[in-house]
Amino acid sequence: MKKNTEPIDLEKVVIKFAGDSGDGMQFSGNQFTNTSALLGNDLATFPDYPAEIRAPQGTIAGVSGFQIHIGSIHINTPGDIADVLVAMNPAALKSNRKSIKKGGIIIVNVDSFTKKDLEKAGYDNSPLSDNSLDEFQVIEAPISKLTRESLKDSKLSSKSISQSKNMFALGIVYWMFNRPMTPTENFINKKFSEKSEIAKGNIKVLHTGYNFANTIEAFSSSYTVKSANLEKGRYRNVMGNQAIAWGFIAASEKSGKELFLGSYPITPASDILHELAKYKNLGVKTFQAEDEIAGICSAIGASFAGNLGITTTSGPGFSLKGEALGLAIMTELPLVVVDVQRGGPSTGLPTKTEQSDLMQALYGRNGESPAVVIACSTPSNCFDWSFMASKITLEYNTPVILLSDGYLGNGSEPWKIKTIKDMPDITPLIAKEGENYQPYFRDKKTLARKLAIPGMKGLEHRLGGLEKEDISGNVSYDSENHEKMCNIRSEKIKKISEIIPIQEVYGKTNADLLVIGWGGTYGSLYSSVDNLINEGKSIALTQFNYIHPLPKNTLELLNRYKKIVVCELNSGQFANYLRMNFQGIIFEQYNKLQGLPFTTLELESHFKTLLD
């Protein structure tokens, strides 16, 4: 087959790297992502980690994947199915067989398709010889063999040479899509600056893979994906967990409060702790606690001492923090609790995404203990929502729960870099020395109390976990006072709806079908609704970020539509929450509980059924 000399221009493409967890697929995917971002492509990524820490090598359970969707148009999701799959072993091929479009390209490391490897993956016969892949363009590349051949004269160990084979695969894909190798070369040289032999070896294998793709006749052409027409500004590729960390740093700078994070590492939230630990030079203090309870209690203590107190976790850890969170609600201290949701219950699916902690965030504490609940919706706007969570908690002196999920936390997309001037002001509600201070005397408009920092002269007071007397803050067992304080704490949260934006709709205000989502389902829902609007369908979308309190125009908005469907990655928690708040309105549901995000194809199919 003769190659085309001119590359074919594509509007968008979906590529997936898949192999064993030790095959470096996340590294290859990240390098391709960063290079594409530098070229100006819009993009979205979806890393897919194995749930077991040490799954048997070569098995389905041990497959690690990284999917990236790049385009010259606006990209909202990592893509439903891949145009190109790099499969480093039979297990990677088998687990992703249904995720490749017909006619797509599959690049396999043919050296790994031994009888033993095929048995581990559950194959009776090799799919490379039984015609089961006839509907795809299969490229059989001797990746392991050529990697060893390339480095046979190096001083690297056999293990190091084997670990370099992901660079061969990356080189192939760089040739396919006309990506420059310089950014990856620079990264490798920096990463292995003290191990020059490893750096040289990886770069050599990268070029070997590139040259292999350039010389073999199996590839009929290469491809290009031009820069996207993004809003003017400086961009960088950012993961959701990174963006959350940076949003907190910006809030610390804007409020004048030092940032303290007290947390216990847990998948998929740990990267927020890792990221913040890098910024001691900005006054950030991080504490890796011995358990979840110690993590939140240290953050409460830091908040009491005048810091912006943060704690991060996932579903199992969030349940352990419940009692201490109740203490922060009763004492009315600023605190942000980040829950990067994952599949449950218990340990569940620790590396898979889900939205099943909503009811826990709203009600998962003893007693009447309302808290503000907000949710991120894209990897890049995780920055904005962690900043906003900080603003609300410091200005109202009440805990805020920020919901993210594994899809957002580990996914990435271009983020337009902001400056501190771009961010709204944050004015912490702090008492001043010399005033007649009463701990639970409240602002009449917001019902928020002022905070007195320990050491402020004349503002000494007691604070604890027993019920407070109104105004004085003294311990009170009076039944009527208890009811009053519970009502005040609830009403204070409701009043926050006065300062949050009204809920907006994408699409017609009188469409036949309103799609409702919240949090991280935004990309899939927006893409699906946008596609159907372009087909002339009468459909609209509203995506909620403010969960408690809800925007004040929510009822008026819902009453405009005859048919409403709530889509979420759980069994219907937000739908039930809406039913509790808006009785008489019918909410249909569309739910998914597979540890995977929605695909646009399944959403569009369901929406068409509802419209028909």
Side-chain angles (χ1 to χ4, degrees):
M1 183 186 296
K2 187 176 180 181
K3 290 189 180 184
N4 296 328
T5 55
E6 290 296 321
I8 298 172
D9 188 35
L10 300 177
E11 192 175 59
K12 58 182 179 177
V13 67
V14 180
I15 303 159
K16 185 163 189 178
F17 296 86
D20 259 324
S21 56
D23 282 343
M25 295 296 94
Q26 304 300 323
F27 181 88
S28 296
N30 275 309
Q31 286 303 305
F32 190 88
T33 299
N34 293 337
T35 300
S36 298
L38 287 171
L39 294 178
N41 297 134
D42 197 9
L43 57 88
T45 69
F46 179 51
D48 189 13
Y49 303 98
E52 297 179 42
I53 296 174
R54 291 185 181 276
Q57 192 173 17
T59 63
I60 299 289
V63 173
S64 176
F66 190 103
Q67 184 161 306
I68 173 174
H69 189 185
I70 63 172
S72 58
I73 59 173
H74 189 47
I75 300 296
N76 297 293
T77 76
D80 290 352
I81 56 176
D83 300 287
V84 178
L85 170 68
V86 176
M88 298 297 283
N89 62 18
L93 175 61
K94 188 170 187 177
S95 62
N96 290 282
R97 169 66 176 74
K98 295 180 180 179
S99 302
I100 308 300
K101 70 184 242 182
K102 291 183 179 179
I105 298 172
I106 300 176
I107 302 165
V108 298
N109 178 14
V110 70
D111 296 331
S112 69
F113 279 68
T114 64
K115 182 179 180 181
K116 185 177 180 181
D117 291 318
L118 291 166
E119 289 174 352
K120 285 183 180 180
Y123 279 115
D124 295 325
N125 302 298
S126 174
L128 304 180
S129 57
D130 65 2
N131 302 322
S132 62
L133 301 177
D134 284 353
E135 59 188 348
F136 307 105
Q137 182 183 348
V138 180
I139 311 296
E140 298 184 18
I143 294 176
S144 298
K145 177 183 176 181
L146 293 181
T147 297
R148 290 193 301 268
E149 182 69 22
S150 175
L151 299 179
K152 66 181 180 180
D153 296 326
S154 73
K155 298 177 183 178
L156 295 175
S157 66
S158 297
K159 181 179 179 181
S160 294
I161 291 174
S162 177
Q163 289 174 336
S164 302
K165 62 181 180 289
N166 65 316
M167 303 309 297
F168 191 103
L170 181 60
I172 293 175
V173 182
Y174 273 172
W175 179 87
M176 285 182 65
F177 293 98
N178 283 276
R179 309 280 103 169
M181 291 182 282
T182 305
T184 296
E185 292 171 356
N186 293 338
F187 180 88
I188 291 171
N189 282 324
K190 184 177 180 180
K191 181 179 177 66
F192 299 108
S193 58
E194 298 180 1
K195 299 177 181 179
S196 60
E197 199 67 28
I198 292 179
K200 290 177 183 177
N202 277 276
I203 292 172
K204 185 174 183 180
V205 174
L206 178 69
H207 281 265
T208 303
Y210 189 96
N211 293 331
F212 171 82
N214 187 37
T215 56
I216 66 169
E217 296 294 334
F219 290 104
S220 59
S221 178
S222 63
Y223 307 90
T224 58
V225 181
K226 294 180 181 178
S227 300
N229 186 23
L230 300 173
E231 182 183 349
K232 288 185 178 180
R234 292 182 65 200
Y235 286 82
R236 66 153 293 162
N237 189 48
V238 66
M239 296 174 66
N241 281 338
Q242 276 182 311
I244 286 176
W246 297 347
F248 286 138
I249 294 172
S252 171
E253 176 74 18
K254 199 74 176 181
S255 66
K257 292 274 190 181
E258 290 193 353
L259 177 62
F260 176 91
L261 172 68
S263 285
Y264 179 78
I266 184 172
T267 304
S270 300
D271 283 339
I272 303 173
L273 173 61
H274 300 158
E275 187 66 22
L276 286 174
K278 300 175 184 177
Y279 296 100
K280 292 180 183 178
N281 61 314
L282 298 180
V284 177
K285 297 183 285 288
T286 54
F287 168 56
Q288 182 174 319
E290 66 268 26
D291 58 39
E292 296 283 0
I293 298 171
I296 188 172
C297 287
S298 66
I300 291 172
S303 177
F304 179 64
N307 294 263
L308 170 55
I310 310 293
T311 189
T312 55
T313 190
S314 186
F318 189 38
S319 62
L320 294 170
K321 294 181 188 291
E323 183 180 3
L325 179 54
L327 172 66
I329 291 169
M330 171 170 278
T331 54
E332 298 183 46
L333 288 169
L335 174 73
V336 180
V337 181
V338 181
D339 177 9
V340 187
Q341 300 166 94
R342 70 190 208 188
S346 187
T347 305
L349 301 172
T351 61
K352 308 301 180 183
T353 196
E354 208 163 273
Q355 289 185 299
S356 54
D357 295 348
L358 179 60
M359 284 301 179
Q360 183 178 201
L362 289 166
Y363 306 115
R365 296 166 293 282
N366 65 299
E368 296 291 331
S369 49
V372 177
V373 180
I374 59 182
C376 312
S377 52
T378 69
S380 61
N381 78 19
C382 284
F383 176 94
D384 302 297
W385 290 110
S386 64
F387 183 94
M388 185 55 63
S390 304
K391 178 177 171 66
I392 292 173
T393 199
L394 290 171
E395 293 185 343
Y396 280 81
N397 287 333
T398 192
V400 176
I401 299 167
L402 177 63
L403 295 176
S404 178
D405 56 54
Y407 172 70
L408 295 179
N410 293 321
S412 65
E413 64 181 5
W415 172 64
K416 186 180 178 184
I417 298 172
K418 300 185 177 184
T419 67
I420 290 296
K421 294 185 213 177
D422 298 327
M423 311 302 294
D425 291 333
I426 298 178
T427 307
L429 193 57
I430 305 293
K432 296 180 180 178
E433 289 189 4
E435 71 176 74
N436 182 21
Y437 180 67
Q438 293 283 355
Y440 285 83
F441 180 79
R442 301 172 185 279
D443 179 275
K444 290 184 179 179
K445 185 177 180 181
T446 66
L447 296 181
R449 78 175 190 90
K450 290 183 178 179
L451 194 67
I453 309 302
M456 297 178 74
K457 188 176 178 181
L459 303 187
E460 296 84 359
H461 63 286
R462 292 184 294 175
L463 201 65
L466 295 173
E467 182 61 277
K468 308 288 178 283
E469 183 180 64
D470 189 27
I471 310 295
S472 72
N474 294 330
V475 174
S476 173
Y477 291 99
D478 181 79
S479 57
E480 292 185 359
N481 176 78
H482 172 61
E483 184 174 40
K484 180 180 181 181
M485 294 297 280
C486 287
N487 291 337
I488 287 174
R489 288 190 286 264
S490 178
E491 188 63 27
K492 179 179 69 170
I493 303 301
K494 291 177 183 177
K495 283 184 174 292
I496 294 174
S497 65
E498 297 297 322
I499 60 114
I500 64 178
I502 62 171
Q503 187 69 16
E504 296 184 351
V505 172
Y506 173 66
K508 294 181 180 178
T509 57
N510 59 347
D512 293 340
L513 176 65
L514 175 66
V515 176
I516 291 179
W518 67 273
T521 57
Y522 172 75
S524 301
L525 293 176
Y526 176 85
S527 295
S528 304
V529 171
D530 184 58
N531 289 343
L532 294 180
I533 287 175
N534 290 332
E535 290 181 15
K537 302 293 185 182
S538 182
I539 188 170
L541 168 69
T542 188
Q543 190 81 9
F544 283 86
N545 297 101
Y546 290 99
I547 308 295
H548 189 229
L550 289 163
K552 59 184 178 182
N553 70 319
T554 301
L555 177 59
E556 182 269 328
L557 184 155
L558 296 174
N559 279 329
R560 297 182 206 156
Y561 297 91
K562 296 177 181 177
K563 184 174 286 190
I564 299 171
V565 59
V566 184
C567 304
E568 46 189 328
L569 301 178
N570 58 42
S571 296
Q573 296 185 20
F574 191 56
N576 286 330
Y577 176 62
L578 291 174
R579 291 182 185 111
M580 291 166 61
N581 283 276
F582 306 106
Q583 297 180 13
I585 296 178
I586 297 174
F587 297 97
E588 298 198 37
Q589 296 177 209
Y590 187 64
N591 304 105
K592 186 174 182 178
L593 264 173
Q594 300 175 13
L596 297 169
F598 286 122
T599 67
T600 56
L601 290 175
E602 65 192 1
L603 289 170
E604 288 176 31
S605 175
H606 187 73
F607 298 156
K608 286 179 180 178
T609 300
L610 292 175
L611 285 166
D612 292 341

